[in-house]
Amino acid sequence: MKLAGIIFSNIYDDTMGDLTRHRTVASLPFGGRYRQIDFALSNMVNSGISAVGVVTKYNYQSLMDHLGSCTEWDLNRKNGGLYIIPPFSTGHSTVYRGKIEAMACALQFLYRTPAKYVVLSDSTVICNIDYEDVLESHVASGVDVTVVCNRAAPTFAGERRDLAFRMNGNVVTDVLTGCEADKKLYGSMGMFVMEKEKLIHVVEDRVAHGFFHFEKDYIQREFINGTIEIGVYEFGRIILRNEDIASYFKNNLRLMKESVRSEIFNSNAPIYTKVRDEVPTYYGTQAKVDDCLIADGCTIEGEAENSVIFRDVTIEAGAKVRNCVIMQGSHIKRGAELNCVILDKEVTISEDTFLSGAMTAPAVINKRRVI
């Protein structure tokens, strides 16, 4: 039995504000040197999936630049490999509104793949998962669709789930969409396993009837009608849900914890990313660094504390950075102070500038701005 994969790269762009103004949520930088799609793609490759379709919508130039030939994921192959699936590629005159319409763009990919089963994945959930275990559970249960879920208390007030389940033992008793997070509920991780032929039928039928939302128009609707069997695969390890700017910021800083890093970056199932040959980070004689995650190619001569710092960042002497996410190529000049700030790529912070947000509402500075 073979698995194919489909990754949705744009579904949650609207929740990330300025961070996805010029990029997909899948290509959003995370964790110092990665993009969010690296985690979904690496999970599939580590699970033996060799054919992956990435469904795009708009602003996907940076995503294509990052993926390149997909050598790092061993997907530059004659049989299978990675397929970029843009909008309008199959004659549709409008961009998709939900996952069902997105998969309608991917039907040619599904028709051609020899895989019997398909994994569907969002690119906003960061974890390290083996889909072979999920497939084994799906096949043994004989259900129509298996949903990967977890049970966890909300990480911030008002956190919501696109899809959640109430269970009685192994039996689903209720399906909820757009509900508030609750540790008693099984919250979907945006990962699904289905038989390929079943998925094709669902997509063709739902599109023909004007439906476009996978969770509401298929899973919830069919459950209410009593015409679907749902399996829930509970994932018990650490996951990071980047659902909006606040959670994205918090989850970057959670990587400071060794317990979180060891779960996400498992040496037995590596997270792959685009390789860049950079010199090691330079630390000046007056530099002070405490509890930071710092990529290569940086120049650190000031102070940095509890921050995630991407490649090629410069922090001049006298500058102070605390509780920040500093993306690639940014330059923080002498005397500047930043606290609870997200700097997008190639931002310049002028001398003696003070910027501060809050842990629940970080200040976001757009790409290539000079402040």
Side-chain angles (χ1 to χ4, degrees):
M1 289 179 293
K2 290 186 177 180
L3 270 169
I6 291 180
I7 298 174
F8 302 102
S9 67
N10 286 89
I11 292 292
Y12 299 102
D13 286 1
D14 293 343
T15 67
M16 287 294 181
D18 288 340
L19 292 177
T20 49
R21 177 180 292 184
H22 301 295
R23 61 166 71 94
T24 69
V25 73
S27 57
L28 183 62
F30 183 81
R33 60 192 297 264
Y34 299 92
R35 304 292 183 113
Q36 291 196 153
I37 195 172
D38 293 341
F39 299 87
L41 199 53
S42 297
N43 286 334
M44 290 185 178
V45 170
N46 291 334
S47 301
I49 298 174
S50 58
V52 180
V54 178
V55 185
T56 62
K57 191 174 185 179
Y58 43 66
N59 289 339
Y60 50 90
Q61 182 63 56
S62 64
L63 179 65
M64 294 176 67
D65 291 343
H66 176 70
L67 295 174
S69 64
C70 286
T71 303
E72 289 80 5
W73 297 271
D74 191 28
L75 291 174
N76 56 333
R77 51 179 65 206
K78 293 181 179 179
N79 297 316
L82 185 125
Y83 301 81
I84 300 293
I85 305 170
F88 316 118
S89 59
T90 55
H92 289 77
S93 59
T94 58
V95 294
Y96 60 80
R97 295 170 291 174
K99 290 179 182 175
I100 287 179
E101 288 186 346
M103 285 185 284
C105 298
L107 281 175
Q108 291 300 319
F109 168 77
L110 291 173
Y111 293 148
R112 293 172 183 172
T113 179
K116 185 176 180 181
Y117 297 93
V118 181
V119 174
L120 311 176
S121 178
D122 293 336
S123 49
T124 55
V125 174
I126 308 300
C127 68
N128 199 311
I129 184 172
D130 186 350
Y131 286 120
E132 291 183 347
D133 293 340
V134 184
L135 177 61
E136 184 178 336
S137 172
H138 176 77
V139 174
S141 65
V143 296
D144 295 296
V145 56
T146 293
V147 186
V148 182
C149 298
N150 81 318
R151 287 187 294 172
T155 55
F156 58 90
E159 185 177 8
R160 307 190 74 79
R161 296 286 179 263
D162 281 351
L163 180 66
F165 303 92
R166 287 194 178 98
M167 304 283 292
N168 183 6
N170 295 325
V171 179
V172 175
T173 60
D174 198 9
V175 177
L176 304 92
T177 58
C179 61
E180 191 163 332
D182 185 335
K183 65 180 180 181
K184 295 180 181 179
L185 297 175
Y186 289 74
S188 168
M189 293 167 52
M191 303 172 185
F192 310 87
V193 173
M194 291 184 68
E195 189 173 359
K196 183 186 74 170
E197 296 303 325
K198 174 71 175 179
L199 178 61
I200 290 173
H201 172 74
V202 168
V203 172
E204 292 176 337
D205 178 72
R206 289 301 182 274
V207 169
H209 287 87
F211 296 122
F212 58 88
H213 198 288
F214 185 72
E215 289 85 351
K216 291 181 181 178
D217 295 333
Y218 172 57
I219 293 179
Q220 187 181 49
R221 181 181 292 270
E222 293 301 301
F223 177 81
I224 293 172
N225 293 337
T227 55
I228 188 177
E229 290 187 73
I230 303 170
V232 168
Y233 178 91
E234 184 176 3
F235 183 73
R237 295 164 61 190
I238 288 175
I239 72 166
L240 306 177
R241 299 175 185 269
N242 293 337
E243 298 178 331
D244 54 22
I245 290 176
S247 58
Y248 168 81
F249 177 70
K250 182 175 182 177
N251 286 333
N252 266 283
L253 299 187
R254 282 185 68 188
L255 292 177
M256 305 303 165
K257 296 181 179 179
E258 176 63 29
S259 59
V260 175
R261 290 200 307 276
S262 62
E263 284 273 352
I264 301 296
F265 301 103
N266 186 335
S267 59
N268 295 321
I271 303 299
Y272 305 101
T273 190
K274 184 176 182 178
V275 174
R276 296 179 183 273
D277 296 323
E278 301 279 357
V279 298
T281 289
Y282 168 78
Y283 297 90
T285 57
Q286 302 299 314
K288 295 181 180 179
V289 177
D290 183 23
D291 205 20
C292 290
L293 197 62
I294 302 177
D296 46 356
C298 297
T299 299
I300 311 294
E301 296 184 292
E303 299 181 20
E305 178 183 341
N306 193 43
S307 296
V308 176
I309 300 173
F310 288 72
R311 294 181 174 102
D312 297 324
V313 169
T314 298
I315 302 177
E316 293 187 1
K320 298 179 180 179
V321 172
R322 294 187 178 88
N323 308 314
C324 291
V325 176
I326 312 297
M327 294 189 196
Q328 181 174 331
S330 292
H331 191 141
I332 303 164
K333 295 189 175 182
R334 186 181 303 272
E337 294 189 30
L338 306 181
N339 183 43
C340 296
V341 174
I342 299 175
L343 297 188
D344 208 331
K345 294 175 66 174
E346 299 172 9
V347 170
T348 299
I349 303 297
S350 304
E351 293 183 3
D352 302 318
T353 299
F354 177 80
L355 289 176
S356 181
M359 294 297 288
T360 54
V364 179
I365 307 301
N366 292 340
K367 189 175 180 178
R368 298 194 180 95
R369 288 286 301 276
V370 177
I371 303 296

